[in-house]
Amino acid sequence: MQRAIASEESNNGILVSAISVWEIAVKFSLGKLVLPLPIEEWYALAQTYPGIVIEALDPLDTIASTQLPGELHKDPADRILIAIARRYEIPLLTVDTKILNYPHVQCFCNVEGN
């Protein structure tokens, strides 16, 4: 995973969806994720980090997430992330096996061992 992140940082940057920021905030508020800073400070720092591009949520991606081909679980955040990756034709960086096994989106391979 580290190699994939480093590679994309130096290329076009890492696209981080607002939906991912929301997921981080939810996990933080539930105590399931520890951050070194309060969530608002973490987000402010993330916005200035070189190689990171925070992508606003596009309503067309929300629509596309309801029209994905094939079988996929119902998690709306995952579906939106897949729709964004498909629109930009970019791979997702994930360890979620349901997404990794979904044939209609590109993913970085072998991210767990990196």
Side-chain angles (χ1 to χ4, degrees):
M1 186 176 292
Q2 296 288 343
R3 277 181 275 181
I5 291 171
S7 172
E8 291 305 310
E9 267 181 330
S10 63
N11 286 333
N12 297 323
I14 298 170
L15 183 73
V16 177
S17 170
I19 238 15
S20 293
V21 174
W22 172 77
E23 287 187 301
I24 290 166
V26 167
K27 289 186 185 308
F28 179 79
S29 71
L30 295 173
K32 294 181 176 183
L33 177 65
V34 177
L35 296 174
L37 304 164
I39 189 70
E40 293 84 2
E41 291 178 38
W42 172 85
Y43 176 67
L45 186 60
Q47 288 183 302
T48 64
Y49 189 83
I52 298 285
V53 177
I54 306 288
E55 171 82 1
L57 185 58
D58 186 322
L60 292 176
D61 291 325
T62 65
I63 293 169
S65 76
T66 68
Q67 301 169 346
L68 295 172
E71 295 294 320
L72 181 66
H73 62 88
K74 303 287 186 210
D75 183 292
D78 287 352
R79 295 179 71 86
I80 290 169
L81 292 173
I82 290 168
I84 293 167
R86 288 169 51 90
R87 174 168 56 98
Y88 281 108
E89 297 180 352
I90 57 175
L92 281 176
L93 180 61
T94 184
V95 294
D96 184 321
T97 55
K98 291 177 183 172
I99 296 174
L100 290 169
N101 292 324
Y102 182 64
H104 303 286
V105 69
Q106 275 184 289
C107 293
F108 284 102
C109 297
N110 302 319
V111 295
E112 290 183 72
N114 296 333

mmCIF file of all heavy atoms in Angstrom, residues 40-78:
data_model
loop_
_atom_site.group_PDB
_atom_site.id
_atom_site.type_symbol
_atom_site.label_atom_id
_atom_site.label_comp_id
_atom_site.label_asym_id
_atom_site.label_seq_id
_atom_site.Cartn_x
_atom_site.Cartn_y
_atom_site.Cartn_z
ATOM 1 N N GLU A 40 -11.045 18.374 12.792
ATOM 2 C CA GLU A 40 -11.030 19.600 11.986
ATOM 3 C C GLU A 40 -9.603 20.000 11.634
ATOM 4 O O GLU A 40 -9.321 20.428 10.512
ATOM 5 C CB GLU A 40 -11.732 20.753 12.721
ATOM 6 C CG GLU A 40 -13.215 20.559 12.908
ATOM 7 C CD GLU A 40 -13.555 19.709 14.138
ATOM 8 O OE1 GLU A 40 -12.633 19.294 14.892
ATOM 9 O OE2 GLU A 40 -14.751 19.439 14.326
ATOM 10 N N GLU A 41 -8.678 19.850 12.595
ATOM 11 C CA GLU A 41 -7.276 20.171 12.331
ATOM 12 C C GLU A 41 -6.667 19.163 11.358
ATOM 13 O O GLU A 41 -5.872 19.530 10.484
ATOM 14 C CB GLU A 41 -6.475 20.193 13.633
ATOM 15 C CG GLU A 41 -6.823 21.351 14.541
ATOM 16 C CD GLU A 41 -6.046 21.305 15.837
ATOM 17 O OE1 GLU A 41 -4.847 20.935 15.811
ATOM 18 O OE2 GLU A 41 -6.637 21.633 16.883
ATOM 19 N N TRP A 42 -7.031 17.888 11.520
ATOM 20 C CA TRP A 42 -6.549 16.860 10.602
ATOM 21 C C TRP A 42 -6.976 17.197 9.173
ATOM 22 O O TRP A 42 -6.165 17.128 8.240
ATOM 23 C CB TRP A 42 -7.101 15.485 11.009
ATOM 24 C CG TRP A 42 -6.805 14.439 9.995
ATOM 25 C CD1 TRP A 42 -5.667 13.690 9.887
ATOM 26 C CD2 TRP A 42 -7.644 14.057 8.893
ATOM 27 N NE1 TRP A 42 -5.750 12.860 8.790
ATOM 28 C CE2 TRP A 42 -6.951 13.075 8.170
ATOM 29 C CE3 TRP A 42 -8.912 14.457 8.463
ATOM 30 C CZ2 TRP A 42 -7.490 12.476 7.035
ATOM 31 C CZ3 TRP A 42 -9.442 13.872 7.331
ATOM 32 C CH2 TRP A 42 -8.735 12.881 6.627
ATOM 33 N N TYR A 43 -8.247 17.579 8.996
ATOM 34 C CA TYR A 43 -8.744 17.904 7.661
ATOM 35 C C TYR A 43 -8.034 19.130 7.090
ATOM 36 O O TYR A 43 -7.640 19.141 5.923
ATOM 37 C CB TYR A 43 -10.253 18.121 7.686
ATOM 38 C CG TYR A 43 -10.788 18.549 6.347
ATOM 39 C CD1 TYR A 43 -10.760 17.679 5.268
ATOM 40 C CD2 TYR A 43 -11.287 19.834 6.136
ATOM 41 C CE1 TYR A 43 -11.222 18.063 4.018
ATOM 42 C CE2 TYR A 43 -11.748 20.227 4.897
ATOM 43 C CZ TYR A 43 -11.707 19.341 3.850
ATOM 44 O OH TYR A 43 -12.153 19.730 2.620
ATOM 45 N N ALA A 44 -7.839 20.163 7.908
ATOM 46 C CA ALA A 44 -7.149 21.373 7.439
ATOM 47 C C ALA A 44 -5.732 21.020 6.979
ATOM 48 O O ALA A 44 -5.276 21.508 5.936
ATOM 49 C CB ALA A 44 -7.117 22.423 8.542
ATOM 50 N N LEU A 45 -5.061 20.157 7.720
ATOM 51 C CA LEU A 45 -3.715 19.729 7.339
ATOM 52 C C LEU A 45 -3.745 18.874 6.074
ATOM 53 O O LEU A 45 -2.910 19.037 5.181
ATOM 54 C CB LEU A 45 -3.075 18.954 8.492
ATOM 55 C CG LEU A 45 -1.625 18.553 8.326
ATOM 56 C CD1 LEU A 45 -0.732 19.777 8.142
ATOM 57 C CD2 LEU A 45 -1.168 17.737 9.517
ATOM 58 N N ALA A 46 -4.725 17.979 5.970
ATOM 59 C CA ALA A 46 -4.846 17.112 4.787
ATOM 60 C C ALA A 46 -5.022 17.936 3.513
ATOM 61 O O ALA A 46 -4.497 17.575 2.461
ATOM 62 C CB ALA A 46 -6.007 16.139 4.960
ATOM 63 N N GLN A 47 -5.743 19.038 3.617
ATOM 64 C CA GLN A 47 -5.970 19.889 2.438
ATOM 65 C C GLN A 47 -4.691 20.529 1.921
ATOM 66 O O GLN A 47 -4.617 20.884 0.751
ATOM 67 C CB GLN A 47 -6.971 20.997 2.766
ATOM 68 C CG GLN A 47 -8.378 20.518 2.910
ATOM 69 C CD GLN A 47 -9.305 21.678 3.171
ATOM 70 O OE1 GLN A 47 -9.140 22.420 4.125
ATOM 71 N NE2 GLN A 47 -10.273 21.852 2.295
ATOM 72 N N THR A 48 -3.707 20.687 2.783
ATOM 73 C CA THR A 48 -2.474 21.353 2.376
ATOM 74 C C THR A 48 -1.351 20.372 2.078
ATOM 75 O O THR A 48 -0.281 20.776 1.660
ATOM 76 C CB THR A 48 -1.987 22.320 3.478
ATOM 77 O OG1 THR A 48 -1.644 21.567 4.649
ATOM 78 C CG2 THR A 48 -3.061 23.343 3.812
ATOM 79 N N TYR A 49 -1.591 19.085 2.286
ATOM 80 C CA TYR A 49 -0.543 18.087 2.105
ATOM 81 C C TYR A 49 -0.218 17.944 0.615
ATOM 82 O O TYR A 49 -1.112 17.738 -0.204
ATOM 83 C CB TYR A 49 -0.998 16.742 2.682
ATOM 84 C CG TYR A 49 0.098 15.713 2.720
ATOM 85 C CD1 TYR A 49 1.014 15.685 3.773
ATOM 86 C CD2 TYR A 49 0.237 14.779 1.705
ATOM 87 C CE1 TYR A 49 2.035 14.752 3.801
ATOM 88 C CE2 TYR A 49 1.252 13.839 1.732
ATOM 89 C CZ TYR A 49 2.143 13.837 2.782
ATOM 90 O OH TYR A 49 3.156 12.919 2.804
ATOM 91 N N PRO A 50 1.060 18.064 0.234
ATOM 92 C CA PRO A 50 1.426 17.919 -1.184
ATOM 93 C C PRO A 50 1.040 16.532 -1.706
ATOM 94 O O PRO A 50 1.255 15.525 -1.038
ATOM 95 C CB PRO A 50 2.949 18.077 -1.184
ATOM 96 C CG PRO A 50 3.293 18.695 0.125
ATOM 97 C CD PRO A 50 2.217 18.314 1.084
ATOM 98 N N GLY A 51 0.465 16.496 -2.881
ATOM 99 C CA GLY A 51 0.101 15.223 -3.495
ATOM 100 C C GLY A 51 -1.306 14.758 -3.169
ATOM 101 O O GLY A 51 -1.753 13.741 -3.682
ATOM 102 N N ILE A 52 -2.032 15.502 -2.334
ATOM 103 C CA ILE A 52 -3.404 15.140 -1.979
ATOM 104 C C ILE A 52 -4.360 16.131 -2.630
ATOM 105 O O ILE A 52 -4.180 17.339 -2.518
ATOM 106 C CB ILE A 52 -3.630 15.168 -0.448
ATOM 107 C CG1 ILE A 52 -2.751 14.159 0.263
ATOM 108 C CG2 ILE A 52 -5.107 14.975 -0.099
ATOM 109 C CD1 ILE A 52 -3.185 12.732 0.131
ATOM 110 N N VAL A 53 -5.374 15.615 -3.295
ATOM 111 C CA VAL A 53 -6.426 16.429 -3.884
ATOM 112 C C VAL A 53 -7.740 15.978 -3.264
ATOM 113 O O VAL A 53 -8.130 14.814 -3.406
ATOM 114 C CB VAL A 53 -6.480 16.254 -5.425
ATOM 115 C CG1 VAL A 53 -7.620 17.053 -6.014
ATOM 116 C CG2 VAL A 53 -5.146 16.618 -6.052
ATOM 117 N N ILE A 54 -8.401 16.879 -2.536
ATOM 118 C CA ILE A 54 -9.699 16.554 -1.939
ATOM 119 C C ILE A 54 -10.769 16.857 -2.983
ATOM 120 O O ILE A 54 -10.891 17.984 -3.466
ATOM 121 C CB ILE A 54 -9.974 17.379 -0.661
ATOM 122 C CG1 ILE A 54 -8.832 17.240 0.347
ATOM 123 C CG2 ILE A 54 -11.323 16.988 -0.064
ATOM 124 C CD1 ILE A 54 -8.721 15.914 1.038
ATOM 125 N N GLU A 55 -11.532 15.837 -3.346
ATOM 126 C CA GLU A 55 -12.559 15.931 -4.385
ATOM 127 C C GLU A 55 -13.926 16.134 -3.743
ATOM 128 O O GLU A 55 -14.355 15.327 -2.919
ATOM 129 C CB GLU A 55 -12.550 14.630 -5.204
ATOM 130 C CG GLU A 55 -13.677 14.483 -6.174
ATOM 131 C CD GLU A 55 -13.438 15.226 -7.485
ATOM 132 O OE1 GLU A 55 -12.388 15.852 -7.648
ATOM 133 O OE2 GLU A 55 -14.327 15.161 -8.342
ATOM 134 N N ALA A 56 -14.592 17.214 -4.110
ATOM 135 C CA ALA A 56 -15.963 17.448 -3.640
ATOM 136 C C ALA A 56 -16.885 16.364 -4.195
ATOM 137 O O ALA A 56 -16.603 15.760 -5.238
ATOM 138 C CB ALA A 56 -16.438 18.825 -4.082
ATOM 139 N N LEU A 57 -17.974 16.135 -3.507
ATOM 140 C CA LEU A 57 -18.937 15.136 -3.958
ATOM 141 C C LEU A 57 -19.756 15.696 -5.116
ATOM 142 O O LEU A 57 -20.360 16.756 -5.008
ATOM 143 C CB LEU A 57 -19.854 14.737 -2.803
ATOM 144 C CG LEU A 57 -20.835 13.609 -3.077
ATOM 145 C CD1 LEU A 57 -20.113 12.344 -3.510
ATOM 146 C CD2 LEU A 57 -21.653 13.328 -1.826
ATOM 147 N N ASP A 58 -19.741 14.989 -6.226
ATOM 148 C CA ASP A 58 -20.462 15.388 -7.427
ATOM 149 C C ASP A 58 -21.798 14.644 -7.455
ATOM 150 O O ASP A 58 -21.819 13.410 -7.365
ATOM 151 C CB ASP A 58 -19.636 15.029 -8.655
ATOM 152 C CG ASP A 58 -20.233 15.521 -9.953
ATOM 153 O OD1 ASP A 58 -21.471 15.488 -10.110
ATOM 154 O OD2 ASP A 58 -19.454 15.927 -10.832
ATOM 155 N N PRO A 59 -22.913 15.350 -7.579
ATOM 156 C CA PRO A 59 -24.214 14.676 -7.618
ATOM 157 C C PRO A 59 -24.313 13.603 -8.713
ATOM 158 O O PRO A 59 -25.012 12.608 -8.541
ATOM 159 C CB PRO A 59 -25.206 15.812 -7.875
ATOM 160 C CG PRO A 59 -24.524 17.023 -7.323
ATOM 161 C CD PRO A 59 -23.056 16.806 -7.598
ATOM 162 N N LEU A 60 -23.588 13.782 -9.817
ATOM 163 C CA LEU A 60 -23.623 12.767 -10.868
ATOM 164 C C LEU A 60 -22.995 11.455 -10.404
ATOM 165 O O LEU A 60 -23.402 10.378 -10.841
ATOM 166 C CB LEU A 60 -22.940 13.277 -12.134
ATOM 167 C CG LEU A 60 -23.674 14.420 -12.843
ATOM 168 C CD1 LEU A 60 -22.864 14.919 -14.030
ATOM 169 C CD2 LEU A 60 -25.068 13.995 -13.269
ATOM 170 N N ASP A 61 -22.002 11.539 -9.494
ATOM 171 C CA ASP A 61 -21.423 10.313 -8.939
ATOM 172 C C ASP A 61 -22.429 9.603 -8.031
ATOM 173 O O ASP A 61 -22.460 8.374 -7.993
ATOM 174 C CB ASP A 61 -20.140 10.616 -8.166
ATOM 175 C CG ASP A 61 -19.016 11.056 -9.084
ATOM 176 O OD1 ASP A 61 -18.931 10.550 -10.219
ATOM 177 O OD2 ASP A 61 -18.220 11.922 -8.661
ATOM 178 N N THR A 62 -23.233 10.369 -7.325
ATOM 179 C CA THR A 62 -24.250 9.727 -6.483
ATOM 180 C C THR A 62 -25.274 8.996 -7.339
ATOM 181 O O THR A 62 -25.718 7.911 -6.991
ATOM 182 C CB THR A 62 -24.946 10.738 -5.545
ATOM 183 O OG1 THR A 62 -25.678 11.694 -6.308
ATOM 184 C CG2 THR A 62 -23.944 11.444 -4.647
ATOM 185 N N ILE A 63 -25.618 9.596 -8.472
ATOM 186 C CA ILE A 63 -26.552 8.938 -9.400
ATOM 187 C C ILE A 63 -25.901 7.690 -9.987
ATOM 188 O O ILE A 63 -26.488 6.611 -10.007
ATOM 189 C CB ILE A 63 -26.991 9.913 -10.508
ATOM 190 C CG1 ILE A 63 -27.856 11.039 -9.908
ATOM 191 C CG2 ILE A 63 -27.760 9.166 -11.615
ATOM 192 C CD1 ILE A 63 -28.114 12.195 -10.850
ATOM 193 N N ALA A 64 -24.660 7.838 -10.457
ATOM 194 C CA ALA A 64 -23.950 6.698 -11.056
ATOM 195 C C ALA A 64 -23.804 5.557 -10.057
ATOM 196 O O ALA A 64 -23.822 4.382 -10.444
ATOM 197 C CB ALA A 64 -22.586 7.141 -11.571
ATOM 198 N N SER A 65 -23.673 5.879 -8.767
ATOM 199 C CA SER A 65 -23.512 4.830 -7.754
ATOM 200 C C SER A 65 -24.743 3.935 -7.649
ATOM 201 O O SER A 65 -24.644 2.806 -7.177
ATOM 202 C CB SER A 65 -23.206 5.451 -6.389
ATOM 203 O OG SER A 65 -24.358 6.018 -5.799
ATOM 204 N N THR A 66 -25.880 4.416 -8.116
ATOM 205 C CA THR A 66 -27.111 3.603 -8.081
ATOM 206 C C THR A 66 -27.283 2.773 -9.346
ATOM 207 O O THR A 66 -28.218 1.980 -9.441
ATOM 208 C CB THR A 66 -28.360 4.495 -7.909
ATOM 209 O OG1 THR A 66 -28.557 5.280 -9.089
ATOM 210 C CG2 THR A 66 -28.244 5.384 -6.685
ATOM 211 N N GLN A 67 -26.375 2.975 -10.322
ATOM 212 C CA GLN A 67 -26.505 2.309 -11.615
ATOM 213 C C GLN A 67 -25.267 1.501 -11.984
ATOM 214 O O GLN A 67 -24.998 1.284 -13.159
ATOM 215 C CB GLN A 67 -26.786 3.369 -12.697
ATOM 216 C CG GLN A 67 -28.037 4.163 -12.417
ATOM 217 C CD GLN A 67 -28.179 5.377 -13.321
ATOM 218 O OE1 GLN A 67 -27.248 5.786 -13.994
ATOM 219 N NE2 GLN A 67 -29.365 5.955 -13.320
ATOM 220 N N LEU A 68 -24.518 1.068 -10.987
ATOM 221 C CA LEU A 68 -23.306 0.290 -11.251
ATOM 222 C C LEU A 68 -23.665 -1.071 -11.839
ATOM 223 O O LEU A 68 -24.653 -1.681 -11.430
ATOM 224 C CB LEU A 68 -22.505 0.106 -9.965
ATOM 225 C CG LEU A 68 -21.930 1.376 -9.346
ATOM 226 C CD1 LEU A 68 -21.320 1.069 -7.980
ATOM 227 C CD2 LEU A 68 -20.905 2.019 -10.268
ATOM 228 N N PRO A 69 -22.859 -1.549 -12.770
ATOM 229 C CA PRO A 69 -23.149 -2.867 -13.362
ATOM 230 C C PRO A 69 -22.814 -4.000 -12.398
ATOM 231 O O PRO A 69 -22.004 -3.841 -11.484
ATOM 232 C CB PRO A 69 -22.216 -2.905 -14.578
ATOM 233 C CG PRO A 69 -21.088 -1.999 -14.218
ATOM 234 C CD PRO A 69 -21.690 -0.915 -13.360
ATOM 235 N N GLY A 70 -23.429 -5.129 -12.615
ATOM 236 C CA GLY A 70 -23.094 -6.330 -11.855
ATOM 237 C C GLY A 70 -23.577 -6.296 -10.419
ATOM 238 O O GLY A 70 -24.336 -5.424 -10.015
ATOM 239 N N GLU A 71 -23.104 -7.278 -9.675
ATOM 240 C CA GLU A 71 -23.484 -7.430 -8.267
ATOM 241 C C GLU A 71 -22.445 -6.774 -7.366
ATOM 242 O O GLU A 71 -21.255 -6.990 -7.535
ATOM 243 C CB GLU A 71 -23.593 -8.921 -7.916
ATOM 244 C CG GLU A 71 -24.708 -9.645 -8.652
ATOM 245 C CD GLU A 71 -26.093 -9.159 -8.238
ATOM 246 O OE1 GLU A 71 -26.309 -8.917 -7.030
ATOM 247 O OE2 GLU A 71 -26.942 -9.018 -9.130
ATOM 248 N N LEU A 72 -22.909 -6.009 -6.415
ATOM 249 C CA LEU A 72 -22.054 -5.361 -5.433
ATOM 250 C C LEU A 72 -22.882 -5.114 -4.188
ATOM 251 O O LEU A 72 -24.099 -4.935 -4.271
ATOM 252 C CB LEU A 72 -21.520 -4.032 -5.985
ATOM 253 C CG LEU A 72 -20.584 -3.227 -5.095
ATOM 254 C CD1 LEU A 72 -19.266 -3.970 -4.865
ATOM 255 C CD2 LEU A 72 -20.311 -1.865 -5.692
ATOM 256 N N HIS A 73 -22.224 -5.085 -3.040
ATOM 257 C CA HIS A 73 -22.961 -4.835 -1.806
ATOM 258 C C HIS A 73 -23.598 -3.451 -1.831
ATOM 259 O O HIS A 73 -23.326 -2.629 -2.696
ATOM 260 C CB HIS A 73 -22.077 -5.059 -0.575
ATOM 261 C CG HIS A 73 -20.891 -4.151 -0.486
ATOM 262 N ND1 HIS A 73 -20.942 -2.926 0.110
ATOM 263 C CD2 HIS A 73 -19.618 -4.302 -0.906
ATOM 264 C CE1 HIS A 73 -19.754 -2.356 0.056
ATOM 265 N NE2 HIS A 73 -18.934 -3.175 -0.568
ATOM 266 N N LYS A 74 -24.419 -3.153 -0.855
ATOM 267 C CA LYS A 74 -25.247 -1.949 -0.867
ATOM 268 C C LYS A 74 -24.620 -0.737 -0.179
ATOM 269 O O LYS A 74 -25.241 0.306 -0.123
ATOM 270 C CB LYS A 74 -26.595 -2.245 -0.190
ATOM 271 C CG LYS A 74 -27.361 -3.387 -0.813
ATOM 272 C CD LYS A 74 -27.944 -3.001 -2.134
ATOM 273 C CE LYS A 74 -28.817 -4.130 -2.656
ATOM 274 N NZ LYS A 74 -28.860 -4.185 -4.079
ATOM 275 N N ASP A 75 -23.400 -0.839 0.354
ATOM 276 C CA ASP A 75 -22.799 0.283 1.079
ATOM 277 C C ASP A 75 -22.728 1.521 0.180
ATOM 278 O O ASP A 75 -22.016 1.530 -0.826
ATOM 279 C CB ASP A 75 -21.398 -0.098 1.550
ATOM 280 C CG ASP A 75 -20.752 0.990 2.368
ATOM 281 O OD1 ASP A 75 -20.439 2.061 1.797
ATOM 282 O OD2 ASP A 75 -20.544 0.785 3.579
ATOM 283 N N PRO A 76 -23.478 2.580 0.521
ATOM 284 C CA PRO A 76 -23.538 3.748 -0.371
ATOM 285 C C PRO A 76 -22.193 4.452 -0.530
ATOM 286 O O PRO A 76 -21.875 4.918 -1.625
ATOM 287 C CB PRO A 76 -24.574 4.664 0.281
ATOM 288 C CG PRO A 76 -24.797 4.144 1.647
ATOM 289 C CD PRO A 76 -24.344 2.725 1.684
ATOM 290 N N ALA A 77 -21.391 4.526 0.522
ATOM 291 C CA ALA A 77 -20.093 5.194 0.409
ATOM 292 C C ALA A 77 -19.181 4.436 -0.554
ATOM 293 O O ALA A 77 -18.531 5.044 -1.419
ATOM 294 C CB ALA A 77 -19.441 5.324 1.782
ATOM 295 N N ASP A 78 -19.134 3.122 -0.417
ATOM 296 C CA ASP A 78 -18.322 2.315 -1.337
ATOM 297 C C ASP A 78 -18.805 2.472 -2.770
ATOM 298 O O ASP A 78 -17.997 2.581 -3.700
ATOM 299 C CB ASP A 78 -18.361 0.837 -0.950
ATOM 300 C CG ASP A 78 -17.550 0.534 0.297
ATOM 301 O OD1 ASP A 78 -16.832 1.426 0.781
ATOM 302 O OD2 ASP A 78 -17.639 -0.610 0.782
#
